[in-house]
Amino acid sequence: MLKSWKVRFGLGVLGFFVLLAILGPLLPLDPRANDIGAISQPPSAHHLFGTTQFGQDVLAQTIAGARGSMLVGILAAAIGTLIAILVGVPAGYFGGAVDNGLNFLTNLFLVMPVLPLILIVAGYVQGTGPFVIALIIGLFGWSGGARTLRAQSLSLSSRDFVLAMRMVGEPHRRLIFFEVLPHLTGWISAMFLHGMIGGVMAEAGLAFLGITDSGSISWGTMIQAAQQQSAVLRGLWWWFVPPGLCIALIGTAATLVNFGVDEISNPKLRQARRSVVVRTRKVVEA
Amino acid sequence: MRWTFLARRLGFYLAAAAAAIGLNFLLPRLMPGDPSSAIVEELERVSGQQVPAETLLSIRAIFGNPHANLAQQFADYLRQLSHGDLGVSVVNFPVPVADLVWQALPWTLLLVGTTTITAFAIGTLLGVVAGWKAGSRLDAILTPFTTFLSSVPYFWVALLALWIFGFVLGWTPLSGGYDADLPQGFSLAYAVSVLHHGVLPAATIVFSAFGGWLLGMRNMTVTTVREDYVLLAQAKGLSPKRVMLRYAARNAMLPSFTGFAMALGGVVGGALLTEIVFSYPGIGYLLYESLQKRDYPMMQGVFLLITLAVLLANLVADLAYVLLDPRIRARG
C-alpha cells in the first residue's frame, strides 16, 4: 500500500500536522501574546507569517490552530464512526425488524439537511468549547457511514464462514466482534479519515458562523476573527490565508490517501494511469 | 412492482416530514431558554425597562406558553402550521416570518439555482471527457486540481475572491444583492445592479462546486468505458464523440443525475456561507441573522422550509431514478 505515491504523500502531510498539533506547545511561540510594536504587519523576518490586528503572531496562531482543529476533527470522527458502527453493523447483521428500525433512522439522518440542523442546535448552545462542537458534528455526521457498513455487514453475514460459525452455535456478540468487524476495518478507517476532514471543515464553518467559543484557537476561529475585523477589506491577507491553506492541505492529503486505497481495492481505476496510456499508445503507433 | 416501490418511498418521506415537523417543534423546547423569555429579555435590553406583566402575557399568547401542556402546545403549533403561519419574527417584531421568507426566497433561488445548474453542467461535461480519456494530460491536470478544490473550505475561497476582485481590483461590490440607491422593480439599471452584485458570489459557488460533479462523473465514466456495449459501439465504427456521449456518458450519468435532483433541493437552504460572506439577501442570510439575534420563530420557520424542500427533492430524485433505470423498476 505504501508503494503508491498518493498514500505516502497523504500520510506524510497528515503525520506532519498531527506532530504539529502534539508538539506545537513546545515551540517558543505564544499565540496569544500581543506585540504592540507590530500590529497588522505583513510577513517579515521577525514575524514569518505576519501579525494580526491585535499584534498576535499568525504563525504561532496557525500552529495552535492545528491543535484546536485536529482535536475537534478527531473527536468528531471518533463519535461519528462509533455511531455508524453501532447502527450500521447490527442493521446489516441481524436484518429483519432490527434492520427496518435502524435503516429508517439512518435514512432519516441521511436526508435531513445537516448544516442548518447543526447550525440551529449549535445556536442554542452558543459559545461552547471544542468538545461540545465535536459532539454535535459527530452526532449529525454518521449516516453515510452507517449505510456503507450496513451494506457490507449484510453481505458478510451471509458468507459461508459466518453461516458456518452460526450453525456451530457461536453467540452473535462473538460473531460480530470477531468475524464481521475485523473484515470492516478498511471501511472503518477510511470512514474515520473522511470524518476527521469533515470535522475539521465543519468546525471551521461553525467557527466562521461565530458559533464556537471565540476564546479557543482553531483555524476556523482564526478565519472568523479575520472576517470580523474586516481583514479582507483592509488587505490583511496573511491573516486568513494560512489557516485556509492548512485546511485545504489536510483535506487534499486525506483524499489522496483514500484515492490510493481505492486504486488498490478497485483495479479498474488503477488501469487508468498515465504510464499505461503512454505504453499503449506506443504499441499502437509501432 | 413499481407501485409498491413508489408507495414505500412515499411513506418514508411522509414519515421523514413528520419527524422534521416534530423536531422543529421539540428542538426549541428541549433547549435551555424559550422564545417568550428571550423576547422579554430582548425587550428589556433594548428599552432598558422592566416588561409589564400584561406584555408578558400577550407575548406568551403569540409565541406560546412554555409552561403549557406539551400536547396542547403541539396541537396549537400544528394548527398554525396548517394555515401557512410560521409565527412572528422577534427582531422585526410584528412582521410574520412567512413574509420575510417570501422576500428572501427569490434571491436564493436565483443565485443558487443558476449556479447549481451551471456547476453541474460544467462538472459533468468535463468529467465525461476526463473519464473517457483517463490518464490523458487533461485528466492528469483536472483530477488532482479538483481534488484540491474540494478540500478547500468554501467560505475561505469566497473571502479570497472578495478580497481580490472586490477589494484589490474593485471590479465587484463588496456586499449586498443590489444597489440600495436604486428603486426596486423591473428597470434596466436595477437588473444590471442585481447582476453586478450576483456575479462574484455566483462565480465562487460554481468554482467550488463543479469539482465534485467532475470527480463523480469521471469515476463512473472510467467504469462504463470498459463495458461491452461501449466496445460494441466502437466496433460498429460510430464516431468517438457519439460513443462517448450517447453510450458511455448516458449510462454513467445516472448517479450524477439523482445527485443533481437532490442538489436542487438544497438550493432553498443552499448557499448559507455564500450569502453570509457576501451579505446576500437570501434565505441563508436570514437564517444567519435569526441565529445571531436569537430570533427563535424565524430560525424554526427557515429550518422547516429548508428541510421540507430537501425532502421533496429527495422524493423527486427517487422517482426520477425509477423512471431512468429500468433495473430498479424491475426489482421493485
Side-chain angles (χ1 to χ4, degrees), chain A residues 107-108 111-112 115 117 119 124 126 204 209 227 232-233 235 237 240-241 244 248 251-252 255 271-272 274 277, chain B residues 12 16 23 28 31 134-135 137 147-148 151 155-156 159-160 163 167 226 272 276-277 291 294 296 303 307 310-311:
Chain A
N107 281 334
L108 202 60
V111 292
M112 290 284 172
L115 184 65
L117 198 60
L119 202 64
Y124 283 110
Q126 222 154 27
L209 296 172
Q227 154 91 350
V232 175
L233 308 183
W237 56 269
F240 59 87
V241 167
T252 311
T255 318
Q271 279 170 13
R274 182 157 174 74
V277 173
Chain B
F12 168 73
L23 191 71
M31 295 295 163
R137 198 157 292 146
T147 309
F148 176 73
S151 319
F155 58 88
W156 185 71
L159 278 179
L160 220 56
W163 172 59
F167 176 75
R226 289 185 175 74
L272 205 72
I276 293 161
V277 171
L291 204 72
R294 300 272 183 143
Y296 293 85
F303 175 67
T307 312
V310 169
L311 289 179

Side-chain angles (χ1 to χ4, degrees), chain A residues 164-184:
Chain A
M165 300 280 276
R166 207 184 268 186
M167 272 182 241
V168 172
E170 285 282 341
H172 288 307
R173 198 161 13 119
R174 217 191 115 74
L175 277 175
I176 290 182
F177 280 109
F178 292 97
E179 300 302 333
V180 176
L181 268 183
H183 284 92
L184 295 175

Side-chain angles (χ1 to χ4, degrees), chain B residues 16 87 113 169 175 246 275 329:
Chain B
L169 299 171
S175 68
R246 290 288 194 82
E275 292 182 359
R329 226 179 311 171

